[in-house]
Amino acid sequence: MKLSEWAQRNGVHYQTAWKWARDGTMPVPVVKTATGRYLVLEQPADRDGRAVAYCRVSSADQKADLERQAGRVVTAATGMGLTISDVVTEVGSGLNGRRPKLARLLRDASVSVIVVEHRDRLARFGLEHLSAALGASGRRIVVIDDAEVEDDLVRDMTEVLTSFCARLYGRRSASRRAKAALRAAREVA
């Protein structure tokens, strides 16, 4: 397949894919023809279904980060042996339950693996329940960078405080205010 087709299918800018091919850092096998054109060698699709990358940013100001996030997710997933068939990108808060592209992705039974960069790109909290529900139908979620917070209780409290602050103060400043509340609680203790 042509490099431009592969780039479009995987949510990577063509110039980024071209640089990867030129530098030998493409996450998939690529060959250079005698005319100088790069061709991506087809990889067998997963027999159990499709693997899809889900990338999300919170606001339109961060929209430029979506492409970089998609590139990191596709590269890491390919390194894990997964063939990404599609990249779904969305702009919306992690606290917002009305994300139409995520809902469509979760409803699609042909998607067997959903790959995300961080836990909070998919859901702020409740990822364990979502994982269990998908697991019941033979599907799974792969989190590439699953760096845990030092303490699960601290992570849970941060998520709950962020949710409450979002309802009180608006979604933009919720995370900042939740962290300030945690700092104040630590100082008192």
Side-chain angles (χ1 to χ4, degrees):
M1 126 183 11
K2 289 173 46 178
L3 186 63
S4 58
E5 291 174 25
W6 180 89
Q8 185 177 13
R9 183 183 295 178
N10 290 287
V12 177
H13 194 274
Y14 172 74
Q15 289 176 337
T16 303
W18 181 83
K19 287 177 188 174
W20 288 349
R22 180 193 67 195
D23 298 340
T25 58
M26 274 293 278
V28 294
V30 65
V31 294
K32 187 174 183 179
T33 64
T35 60
R37 174 177 280 174
Y38 288 103
L39 294 176
V40 176
L41 302 176
E42 291 289 332
Q43 291 184 311
D46 294 333
R47 292 187 185 122
D48 300 333
R50 299 182 317 137
V52 175
Y54 179 75
C55 303
R56 179 190 64 79
V57 292
S58 299
S59 66
D61 298 343
Q62 301 168 330
K63 204 168 188 177
D65 295 336
L66 271 175
E67 184 178 315
R68 289 189 292 274
Q69 186 182 135
R72 289 190 303 267
V73 170
V74 169
T75 302
T78 305
M80 297 170 135
L82 294 170
T83 303
I84 300 295
S85 64
D86 196 14
V87 176
V88 176
T89 59
E90 194 161 40
V91 176
S93 172
L95 297 171
N96 186 354
R98 290 173 299 249
R99 289 185 272 157
K101 291 181 180 180
L102 176 60
R104 197 173 321 123
L105 181 64
L106 293 172
R107 280 192 305 263
D108 188 354
S110 70
V111 176
S112 63
V113 180
I114 299 172
V115 184
V116 294
E117 186 175 28
H118 300 285
R119 302 168 39 98
D120 66 343
R121 294 297 94 192
L122 191 61
R124 284 287 181 189
F125 47 103
L127 185 67
E128 293 81 12
H129 300 294
L130 185 58
S131 228
L134 288 174
S137 61
R139 301 163 69 194
R140 64 188 172 114
I141 297 171
V142 174
V143 180
I144 291 171
D145 185 11
D146 199 15
E148 291 293 320
V149 178
E150 295 172 9
D151 186 6
D152 286 343
L153 184 58
V154 172
R155 185 189 72 221
D156 292 344
M157 285 302 297
T158 303
E159 291 171 348
V160 170
L161 278 172
T162 301
S163 176
F164 289 156
C165 288
R167 290 182 184 179
L168 286 174
Y169 306 115
R171 300 200 188 283
R172 288 188 173 215
S173 65
S175 179
R176 182 175 40 85
R177 290 180 187 250
K179 289 176 184 172
L182 280 174
R183 274 194 306 276
R186 284 187 194 129
E187 290 172 5
V188 170

